[in-house]
Amino acid sequence: FPAFLGHEPTPKDDPGHACWYIEEAAGPTLAQLVASRGPLAEASLLFGHWRRQILAALLHLSAQCTFMVPHAITLDHVRVAEDGGRLVLDGLDFGAEAPPPELTSPEEAAEAHAARDAALFSDGVRMILALVGDAESGAEGAAGPRFVGPELSRQLAAVKAIGVGVGGVRSGVTPTLQQALSHPYFRPLPGFELDDVQAAYKALVQGAAEGA
């Protein structure tokens, strides 16, 4: 279920700015879902499906867009489409466009793309962790409180260490989004169909409505 990149024309009064988005969707954002329903269980079908959807959308963005994202991409920018079957990015603001290939060397172009891919991968990992309620609060000083999230599986803990680091230090080399999607943790879940995912999403939304 691929994501589709769209483009909103640049306003005449603001020629240096363009707003890009990945298809419009009527569903809620993942931030709204987490706020109303709470974090997902790591073993849940929705989390297994959506963690891949998040990286797939970011990979499409990295491959197709030449503009730089001046802000972090969060769950506020991820909207549910197709009754939970697909996630799309929404409301992204883009800054300056990357230099065209004719103005940069192949090495510089490759370095720029690698840097953008690494930043998007880090954003993706942070969003995936936020889905299961794993996050750190803004501490006031060295002794400030830190939010203790759920116990993560060994695989997700390893992804966290690579994507966002532990104590601000990343371990190993950051993989590309394509490499991450080929990892067993992000491969499509076997034995499930789209109908199963949509049924799980319907149950999640109904549970949130009943608890409101």
Side-chain angles (χ1 to χ4, degrees):
F1 313 104
F4 295 94
L5 184 67
H7 174 248
E8 183 176 300
T10 304
K12 292 182 180 179
D13 58 347
D14 187 13
H17 179 271
C19 180
W20 291 73
Y21 58 91
I22 303 273
E23 188 179 308
E24 294 183 358
T29 66
L30 290 187
Q32 291 170 332
L33 276 181
V34 171
S36 63
R37 188 62 183 88
L40 299 177
E42 187 181 349
S44 67
L45 173 59
L46 280 179
F47 179 72
H49 183 68
W50 285 351
R51 68 193 182 209
R52 178 175 175 82
Q53 288 281 306
I54 288 174
L55 290 191
L58 293 176
L59 173 62
H60 185 86
L61 179 65
S62 178
Q64 299 297 327
C65 185
T66 59
F67 286 83
M68 301 300 291
V69 183
H71 58 77
I73 301 176
T74 68
L75 295 185
D76 289 305
H77 300 108
V78 184
R79 196 169 290 276
V80 178
E82 296 183 5
D83 296 325
R86 191 156 54 89
L87 300 178
V88 296
L89 298 179
D90 177 65
L92 296 181
D93 291 323
F94 278 66
E97 185 173 14
E102 60 269 18
L103 298 182
T104 59
S105 68
E107 293 77 13
E108 291 173 329
E111 288 178 2
H113 186 272
R116 181 173 58 186
D117 214 53
L120 290 175
F121 175 74
S122 180
D123 285 347
V125 171
R126 291 178 188 277
M127 288 189 283
I128 289 166
L129 291 168
L131 267 183
V132 295
D134 182 87
E136 295 180 352
S137 65
E140 297 180 0
R146 299 175 74 84
F147 175 79
V148 179
E151 183 175 351
L152 305 178
S153 69
R154 292 178 61 184
Q155 284 185 311
L156 184 52
V159 169
K160 178 180 180 179
I162 297 172
V164 300
V166 177
V169 180
R170 297 186 184 184
S171 62
V173 178
T174 302
T176 65
L177 289 166
Q178 186 66 63
Q179 289 172 332
L181 280 170
S182 66
H183 189 278
Y185 191 71
F186 293 105
R187 288 176 184 167
L189 296 177
F192 292 99
E193 302 292 339
L194 178 60
D195 290 346
D196 300 317
V197 176
Q198 292 173 330
Y201 174 69
K202 182 178 180 180
L204 177 72
V205 174
Q206 287 181 339
E210 293 171 356

